[in-house]
Amino acid sequence: MDDNECISYWSALGAFDYAAANKSGARFLRVYQPFSALLVKLANCEGLYTQLSFLKPKWYYVRKDPLNLLYRFLAEEAAREIAILDSHPIASRADTAPILATLHALMDLCRVRQTFIRIYQLLLNSGSNDDTFQAVLGDLETLQREQQHDCSRDRLGLLGLGVAKEISILRSLLKARQAIIDYAFQDACIALFTCKQDLNDWKVACQEQDYAEKSNTTTRQEAREAVPAWKAMFFGGAADVAKHGEAWPNIIRWPTKYLDNLYAKMTLYFNNILLEKEKLLTDDDPEKALWKGIKIDYHDQICTFRKRFGAHCVGLIYEVTPSVPFHPQGYVLSGTPYEPPQGIHSFPFIYCQPNQAPKEHMPNIISIIQGSRNKLSDPKMGPVYFFDSKISSTYYLAQVDEHVVLVVIYLERQVQREPSTLDFMATMVTGLRGTSVIADLSRME
């Protein structure tokens, strides 16, 4: 038995080419039938895992956590075969050694996959809870340390690279999410760049990998789509989004969707900073150019809503707290003394449409925020509604993140909550929180 045969099997799994992996696994029938059966079972489990099938509700009608159990049973079978081969080696040591090495790697992979399954389930059930995201980040950091030995590229070839990239991509997404929430522009850029680079490197490695029985569908050429100037400036060539249609499994397609969601959120939150950069690069309508190529155009949604329903102002207010430093430019040089904003300046508009912040409404807005914390922090309550008869203005406020509140102002009295405003705010909040893209974990086909 040749070590290259095992390497070819791991490479096919790593390239999501399960037809080739099954053929490679079947070749070991002539060497050791139980080993061949285990490889075919693993390929089937990997096919289900990379499509995120274990998150679909219909799976739980059959048996709770079925894929987790399949990986556990697979690891137990591998352990039994290791014990048998240790006591009764097959015909030659040359055949036994690579089989044992592969079985040990298979057991470690199954354990890592079980951890991944738990992580995805936590994300799906998080409800955008910050504590859950922090717990998942901790789990990923632990998993990354274990992966460097248990599922390294030396042991699993391309599949080992895939495991490492999957961990790094998820970590980068969650770090970018937190950096955007904390208004840390530089950290957000670094995390998004790392995520995009890892996704591209993973795809390229899959396409360029060679192995036995390789399917033609894995070598398809990719197209590139146009990106706005600011993304090209901050992310370079890595900002080009590779397209491979439905050929990529959900384990790659979902992080790409989440990355698009975070690009859009970052563009809205750091609109003032990015617009200044865009003006240096674009002469013709920099505001429109800023959102070019962004999959979710929040700016257009806001402008369309204002024009259609006559809202005086739609904006995002950042509430500065002692726990997280706030810098209007998104970052500061190391060693720069921090002077927290005071008074009305501790509630800055990070985005406003129209561009001029409504300063005359700030006392009311701050009062509503400070007096309605319980309602704002409860997503089931919906937007807070308030009418000021003295200035004949109606306010709607909804909490987006820990620090950010969405505000809609009308210069008229609305006796009842306006359904169109409530729907608009619900859509915006769901998108910006990432609730909808997290829910897609269980909805992707």
Side-chain angles (χ1 to χ4, degrees):
M1 174 177 164
D2 190 348
D3 283 347
N4 289 331
E5 293 181 62
C6 292
I7 293 172
S8 183
Y9 172 78
W10 293 126
S11 297
L13 280 186
F16 315 112
D17 192 347
Y18 302 114
N22 278 320
K23 290 177 183 177
S24 292
R27 287 182 176 184
F28 294 102
L29 276 169
R30 58 182 173 78
V31 180
Y32 188 53
Q33 188 276 331
F35 177 64
S36 174
L38 279 171
L39 296 186
V40 171
K41 288 178 183 178
L42 177 61
N44 292 334
C45 285
E46 286 291 287
L48 295 170
Y49 172 80
T50 57
Q51 288 291 38
L52 302 177
S53 300
F54 58 93
L55 295 174
K56 290 178 170 53
K58 62 184 179 183
W59 272 65
Y60 291 89
Y61 297 142
V62 180
R63 172 184 271 179
K64 186 177 180 181
D65 225 356
L67 189 57
N68 190 53
L69 290 173
L70 288 176
Y71 275 115
R72 194 186 86 190
F73 295 153
L74 200 56
E76 290 172 353
E77 284 186 58
R80 286 195 294 270
E81 291 304 325
I82 289 171
I84 291 170
L85 289 173
D86 280 338
S87 57
H88 301 89
I90 53 181
S92 70
R93 187 65 186 170
D95 284 339
T96 305
I99 289 178
L100 284 171
T102 301
L103 288 173
H104 280 289
L106 186 153
M107 288 177 60
D108 290 334
L109 174 66
C110 288
R111 183 177 53 76
V112 167
R113 288 304 193 213
Q114 286 179 288
T115 303
F116 266 127
I117 288 170
R118 184 174 64 83
I119 284 172
Y120 282 113
Q121 289 171 338
L122 281 172
L123 286 175
L124 180 60
N125 298 318
S126 66
S128 298
N129 183 280
D130 289 335
D131 292 338
T132 302
F133 283 108
Q134 290 303 316
V136 169
L137 259 177
D139 289 343
L140 287 170
E141 288 169 2
T142 301
L143 190 59
Q144 189 172 49
R145 290 191 295 270
E146 295 174 352
Q147 173 272 330
Q148 291 172 358
H149 172 265
D150 296 344
C151 294
S152 66
R153 192 166 189 178
D154 291 339
R155 298 184 78 196
L156 299 182
L158 179 62
L159 183 59
L161 173 70
V163 171
K165 291 297 183 185
E166 185 177 357
I167 295 170
S168 179
I169 287 165
L170 289 176
R171 286 186 69 222
S172 296
L173 286 170
L174 297 187
K175 284 185 173 182
R177 172 190 173 275
Q178 191 60 48
I180 295 169
I181 289 173
D182 293 340
Y183 209 73
F185 177 68
Q186 189 176 43
D187 293 343
C189 284
I190 292 170
L192 291 176
F193 174 83
T194 302
C195 182
K196 170 53 69 178
Q197 192 67 55
D198 282 335
L199 276 168
N200 283 350
D201 290 348
W202 192 4
K203 292 177 181 180
V204 169
C206 290
Q207 291 180 316
E208 294 181 349
Q209 183 69 42
D210 196 20
Y211 48 87
E213 310 289 350
K214 185 172 183 176
S215 303
N216 292 331
T217 55
T218 61
T219 59
R220 192 182 308 167
Q221 288 294 315
E222 295 193 344
R224 301 281 179 177
E225 74 176 25
V227 296
W230 75 264
K231 282 176 74 176
M233 181 174 68
F234 286 113
F235 302 111
D240 294 332
V241 181
K243 287 185 177 178
H244 202 287
E246 300 301 313
W248 294 117
N250 292 338
I251 209 73
I252 283 183
R253 290 174 56 217
W254 180 79
T256 302
K257 279 190 85 168
Y258 199 5
L259 184 65
D260 290 335
N261 175 275
L262 291 175
Y263 273 142
K265 182 173 181 174
M266 178 179 178
T267 308
L268 188 68
Y269 275 36
F270 299 105
N271 181 80
N272 298 332
I273 298 170
L274 294 171
L275 192 57
E276 290 301 314
K277 308 293 183 185
E278 195 71 43
K279 288 176 180 177
L280 300 175
L281 303 168
T282 309
D283 294 328
D284 185 23
D285 198 353
E287 198 161 48
K288 183 178 180 180
L290 176 64
W291 288 89
K292 181 181 179 182
I294 304 295
K295 296 292 179 67
I296 309 167
D297 192 337
Y298 289 119
H299 176 71
D300 182 67
Q301 291 179 25
I302 290 170
C303 291
T304 301
F305 170 78
R306 281 191 69 235
K307 184 176 180 180
R308 183 175 180 183
F309 296 102
H312 170 64
C313 173
V314 178
L316 295 173
I317 287 182
Y318 186 99
E319 182 180 2
V320 180
T321 61
S323 60
V324 180
F326 175 81
H327 305 285
Q329 68 276 28
Y331 64 95
V332 292
L333 296 176
S334 178
T336 303
Y338 174 60
E339 296 183 6
Q342 301 294 326
I344 196 172
H345 300 293
S346 61
F347 291 85
F349 270 90
I350 57 174
Y351 173 88
C352 189
Q353 191 58 227
N355 292 329
Q356 190 66 34
K359 294 181 180 179
E360 68 278 12
H361 292 277
M362 288 305 298
N364 272 346
I365 293 172
I366 294 172
S367 177
I368 297 169
I369 291 174
Q370 293 177 333
S372 308
R373 295 197 185 280
N374 290 337
K375 290 182 179 180
L376 285 171
S377 61
D378 186 353
K380 297 178 181 179
M381 293 296 293
V384 172
Y385 164 87
F386 178 78
F387 172 70
D388 187 337
S389 58
K390 292 181 180 179
I391 57 174
S392 297
S393 295
T394 303
Y395 302 87
Y396 293 86
L397 283 77
Q399 191 89 39
V400 178
D401 288 323
E402 179 185 354
H403 302 283
V404 175
V405 176
L406 173 65
V407 180
V408 177
I409 305 172
Y410 290 94
L411 299 182
E412 60 184 23
R413 179 173 185 178
Q414 296 185 352
V415 180
Q416 296 181 337
R417 296 168 184 257
E418 177 59 40
S420 57
T421 303
L422 299 180
D423 291 342
F424 164 75
M425 296 184 78
T427 300
M428 288 290 295
V429 168
T430 300
L432 290 171
R433 282 181 182 166
T435 307
S436 54
V437 74
I438 292 292
D440 283 341
L441 278 167
S442 65
R443 296 196 294 243
M444 297 186 73
E445 296 297 333

